[in-house]
Amino acid sequence: QVQLVESGGGLVQPGGSLRLSCAFSGRIFSMYSMRWYRQAPGKERELVAGITSGGSINYADSVKGRFTISRDNAKSALYLQMNSLKPEDTAVYYCNAYRANWAYWGQGTQVTVSP
C-alpha cells in the first residue's frame, strides 16, 4: 500500500516562497507518476502540476513560471517549489501518486498566502 505524507506548508506573505515535499513509501517510487493538486475553500480540487515516471512535466496555466515540480527517485520524494506566491494560491495542497488503475492521496498540507 502506498503512503504519501506532505510537508512544508505554512503562512507566507504575497511574493514569498515555499517548498512542499511529499514522502512516498510502500512501493517503488520511480514506477509512479506524481501530481500536486490543491483545493481552496468552496472550490473543487484542481491539478497544479504533474511529473510522470519518465520525467515529463506539466503545469496548470495559473502557476506556470512560478511553480516547479521535481522528484528525487533515490529519496522517494516529490517536491513543489512555489515562488511569487499570490493570495489566490491559498489552499490545501495534496500529493497524488498514480500508476495504471491505482491512485493514492496524501492528507494534504495547508498553504496560506496573506499579508
Side-chain angles (χ1 to χ4, degrees):
Q1 184 75 6
V2 169
Q3 292 187 325
L4 302 170
V5 179
E6 300 96 334
S7 61
L11 174 64
V12 63
Q13 292 186 343
S17 298
L18 282 175
R19 189 193 194 207
L20 304 184
S21 299
C22 174
F24 175 107
S25 63
R27 291 291 186 273
I28 301 173
F29 178 68
S30 61
M31 297 180 70
Y32 284 76
S33 294
M34 304 294 297
R35 293 168 173 162
W36 286 101
Y37 283 80
R38 67 186 180 187
Q39 187 166 19
K43 294 188 176 181
E44 294 186 355
R45 191 170 297 190
E46 63 173 355
L47 176 65
V48 175
I51 183 167
T52 68
S53 56
S56 296
I57 291 173
N58 65 286
Y59 296 99
D61 288 343
S62 59
V63 307
K64 281 181 181 177
R66 300 187 299 122
F67 290 11
T68 302
I69 189 172
S70 62
R71 66 189 296 161
D72 186 335
N73 289 339
K75 295 183 178 179
S76 295
L78 176 73
Y79 305 102
L80 185 69
Q81 178 66 43
M82 306 187 295
N83 298 329
S84 303
L85 282 161
K86 304 175 181 180
E88 51 263 44
D89 295 318
T90 296
V92 178
Y93 283 71
Y94 296 92
C95 176
N96 168 268
Y98 66 97
R99 179 172 180 259
N101 295 323
W102 300 95
Y104 304 90
W105 294 89
Q107 81 290 348
T109 185
Q110 177 70 47
V111 171
T112 302
V113 185
S114 179

